[in-house]
């Protein structure tokens, strides 16, 4: 009996289709032509998205996986196509996104002959990938890809399959190579906290005078339950960046984010906390924050390997964060309003009032706060935001409205510039019925702006916002605090007319230089994107530094908070130096801001 045959590359794509893959990001090369041939044959069921740089393809796949939780696929040809994938793959690894990378290789009979673009690719991907294999026979190609997807899901990371080009053309039996089953994506069992463990935590909370929650994305859908627990036990909530949108920011006990991108109130309260309860938090800036003073530390995580990763633990609870919170709620006794909680709330209310003042005032030239305020007027609870790294990270956390129904993505732990446009492309492909916004600085945008043409080619109605100030602002502000530097180095960017660059690609746009122009520009952007076309908004903002919460130094001396300006703040003589707290507040138009001790005195908090 004759068995039907199929090209191995087609059999491989059928495996991807069985796993629910709808599109694949990449750029062709000679060593990948067998797969390109298969993509032509399978174009009715899997869409090839032609990016203009393999790094964009890998970053888009990473964002795709982060937005959906499903495996996303990218590819590159042998040689430079392969090496260009690495930045996006490391982004996926660091943010625990399941990504499959298909990598071209020269034909198997040309390998080890120093053939054109041939090199040993396995070692290059060994660090970034949880699973990396070179296909050894045509028949094994679909099997190895199927296995790679399973490993990407299992490890919540990167899998790499290296494919000698000739193997993809070979005819192999046309049989089912997929291993998918209905049980594949069902939720995995989570570790659960015991009554005894929760009672131990409650005892430590009762003994503490200034406890705080430091919550990470491990809380997932448990934000409302955490708010209920915060109210019941009078414990303020401090967030890590990736929880933006998970916990209602209108809740008075949610006092914001800690570290440089965070709020004045969260940084101050963290610095006097005597008990920190970390809930599902992977906090890469712990050595900047947790080391500032001593406190007792409880860590709740569903991954035992996380225990002690960022701080020594007094108590570790191996548990799903939300289940832990729910059990705490059932076993905790409500406490009366505490002076410490009320002081934290008042401190944050003062900070939020300051931010609101900056966001709602008219500015000419344009400053970043009114830009975000105007963006808030046109987004909705379904908007998907792709954020690039830099000052916009700070500004999004402080100013953008994000709800639990929104989705947003960023290169969080790897912090790769150039992730904004790729993330928006992924968002537009996965959520065609939602509004899609990318936000990038001019430095990050110019790294990948060639892929605006990808948005146009595939009719992706993305609103691309470029905050343009001809400077690497985030790095500029770091250099300002380097004693003895006396100037800036390497951060000045040549100005570009991003509206004209977009026009050269056939993409409409607008340029704004003052806040009074924002409403009309956003109205035009919404008109264009609603009609199914991309749009570029070039927002030419000032060089202004956002309020530097990292300049605040807080410590307890003789029962009172001593709050000062860090001596390294503006130590680079290129900027004005300020010596006192009042001077710092005035320098940033924050005369209404008060030091932490003011709120502690109001509520008669005893340290």
């Amino acid at each position: 009996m004759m068995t039907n045959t199929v090209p191995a590359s087609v059999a491989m794509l059928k495996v991807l289709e069985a796993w629910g893959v709808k599109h694949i990001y990449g750029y062709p090369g000679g060593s990948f032509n067998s797969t390109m041939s298969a993509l032509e044959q399978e174009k009715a069921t899997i869409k090839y998205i032609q990016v203009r740089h393999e790094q964009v393809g890998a970053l888009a796949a990473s964002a795709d996986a982060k937005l959906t939780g499903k495996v996303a696929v990218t590819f590159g040809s042998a040689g430079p196509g392969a090496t260009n994938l690495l930045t996006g793959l490391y982004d996926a690894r660091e943010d625990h996104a399941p990504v499959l990378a298909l990598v071209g290789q020269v034909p198997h009979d040309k390998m080890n002959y120093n053939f054109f673009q041939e090199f040993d690719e396995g070692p290059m991907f060994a660090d970034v990938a949880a699973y990396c294999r070179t296909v050894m026979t045509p028949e094994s190609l679909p099997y190895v890809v199927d296995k790679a997807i399973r490993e990407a899901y299992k490890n919540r990371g990167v899998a790499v399959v290296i494919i000698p080009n000739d193997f993809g053309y070979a005819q192999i039996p046309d049989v089912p190579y997929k291993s998918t089953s209905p049980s594949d994506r069902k939720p995995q069992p989570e570790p659960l906290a015991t009554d005894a463990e929760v009672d131990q935590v409650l005892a430590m909370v009762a003994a503490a005078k200034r406890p705080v929650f430091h919550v990470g994305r491990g809380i997932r859908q448990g934000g409302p339950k955490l708010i209920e627990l915060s109210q019941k036990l009078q414990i303020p909530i401090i967030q890590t960046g990736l929880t933006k949108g998970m916990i209602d920011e209108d809740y008075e006990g949610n006092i914001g984010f800690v570290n440089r991108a965070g709020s004045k109130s969260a940084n101050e309260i963290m610095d006097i906390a005597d008990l920190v309860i970390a809930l599902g938090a992977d906090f890469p800036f712990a050595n900047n924050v947790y080391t500032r003073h001593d406190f007792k530390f409880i860590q709740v995580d569903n991954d035992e390997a996380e225990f002690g990763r960022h701080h020594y633990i007094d108590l570790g609870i191996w548990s799903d964060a939300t289940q832990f919170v729910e059990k705490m709620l059932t076993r905790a006794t409500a406490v009366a309003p505490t002076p410490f909680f009320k002081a934290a709330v008042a401190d944050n209310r003062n900070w939020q009032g300051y931010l609101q003042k900056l966001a709602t005032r008219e500015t000419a030239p344009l400053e970043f706060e009114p830009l975000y305020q105007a963006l808030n007027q046109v987004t909705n609870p379904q908007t998907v935001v792709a954020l690039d790294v830099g000052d916009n990270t700070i500004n999004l956390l402080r100013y953008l409205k994000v709800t639990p129904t929104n989705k947003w993505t960023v290169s969080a732990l790897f912090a790769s510039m150039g992730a904004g446009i790729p993330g928006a492309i992924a968002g537009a492909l996965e959520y065609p019925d939602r509004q899609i916004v990318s936000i990038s600085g001019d430095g990050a945008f110019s790294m990948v702006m060639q892929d605006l043409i990808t948005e146009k080619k595939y009719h992706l109605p993305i609103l691309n916002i470029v905050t343009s100030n001809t400077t690497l602002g985030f790095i500029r502000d770091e250099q300002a605090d380097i004693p003895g530097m006396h100037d800036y180095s390497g951060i000045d960017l040549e100005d570009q007319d991003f509206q004209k660059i977009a026009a050269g690609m056939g993409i409409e746009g607008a340029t704004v230089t003052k806040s009074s122009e924002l409403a009309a520009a956003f109205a035009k952007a919404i008109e264009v994107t609603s009609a199914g076309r991309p749009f570029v908004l070039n927002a030419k903002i000032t060089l202004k530094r956002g309020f530097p919460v990292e300049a605040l130094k807080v410590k307890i001396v003789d029962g009172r908070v001593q709050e000062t300006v860090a001596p390294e703040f503006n130590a680079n003589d290129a900027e004005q130096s300020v010596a006192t707290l009042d001077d710092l507040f005035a320098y940033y138009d924050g005369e209404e801001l008060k030091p932490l001790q003011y709120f502690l005195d109001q509520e008669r908090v005893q340290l």
Side-chain angles (χ1 to χ4, degrees), residues 224 396 577:
L396 180 141
S577 180

Side-chain angles (χ1 to χ4, degrees), residues 196-226:
E197 290 168 337
V198 167
D199 290 345
Q200 192 174 355
V201 173
L202 288 171
M204 293 177 70
V205 170
K209 296 179 179 179
R210 299 177 297 281
V212 300
F213 287 121
H214 193 197
V215 58
R217 58 181 168 172
I219 196 68
R220 291 182 284 202
Q221 305 303 314
K225 291 290 186 181
L226 180 60

Side-chain angles (χ1 to χ4, degrees), residues 584-595:
L584 180 70
F585 294 160
Y587 188 65
Y588 287 93
D589 297 328
E591 288 85 356
E592 69 271 42
L593 291 173
K594 304 294 184 185

Side-chain angles (χ1 to χ4, degrees), residues 370-388:
L371 172 68
Y372 275 83
Q373 178 71 5
L375 179 59
N376 282 329
Q377 304 308 309
V378 300
T379 55
N380 61 69
Q382 297 300 312
T383 300
V384 178
V385 177
L387 175 69
D388 224 309

